[in-house]
Amino acid sequence: MRHRSQERIIGAALEVFAAHGYEGATISQITERAAVSRGLISYYFASKRDLLEAVLGRWLDATLGMLDDQGPEASPDELLATVIDRAVYGARGNLDTQRLMLCLMLQPGTREVFARVERSRDVAVRAFEDRLRGIFAARGAADPAVEEVLLRSLLEGAIYKLAVYEDTYPLAEVRSRLYAIYQLGEPGPLPLPANGFRDVERLRAPG
């Protein structure tokens, strides 16, 4: 019950922050969206900033866990295709949240909070980076660390452009180009997830 209540409040806070921005959001709006008492929110979260940390932590955990369901039988190419698909289509399935996260990472008033949340997950961040580097090492990359940085830069750039130019950004074409860059073959059909990569089924490169 405690976990469900917290998740309900965090989910409501995410929706309100996405709709109104962090500065414009109020605890009253979150209370109404979550359909809980203000006292219950105060019991779990002492301030709006505490709620922000919880929202950021939830999003970061989901991002870092995008490969958690991939077993040892998955090939390096399949894992790389999964990262590409879940990153770009996860963002497409939940653009309001993605725009919010971009703002929170960049705004002076919230950037420090984001950095603190990221530092609190330093072990998970390093493990995710190491796994990406391991994928490139298994594919024979000369410098897996540079390849990991380049991949994340390409994906983050694509997500940023998608967030800004939602109606005109050629997402399918960009996905195909990323597959071509990494010699993954032609991408297969991919349904658009409703709630980001958390709801995407196991995605693998064709063949």
Side-chain angles (χ1 to χ4, degrees), residues 60 112-123 125:
L60 188 57
E112 184 273 331
V113 179
F114 182 88
R116 184 167 64 249
V117 171
E118 190 174 40
R119 285 194 301 271
S120 73
R121 287 158 172 79
D122 184 63
V123 172
V125 170

Side-chain angles (χ1 to χ4, degrees), residues 115-152:
R116 184 167 64 249
V117 171
E118 190 174 40
R119 285 194 301 271
S120 73
R121 287 158 172 79
D122 184 63
V123 172
V125 170
R126 290 179 182 274
F128 182 68
E129 292 173 347
D130 287 343
R131 187 159 191 192
L132 291 180
R133 291 169 187 172
I135 291 170
F136 284 112
R139 299 179 85 238
D143 193 335
V146 170
E147 292 296 337
E148 177 260 325
V149 171
L150 178 59
L151 172 65
R152 292 176 65 182

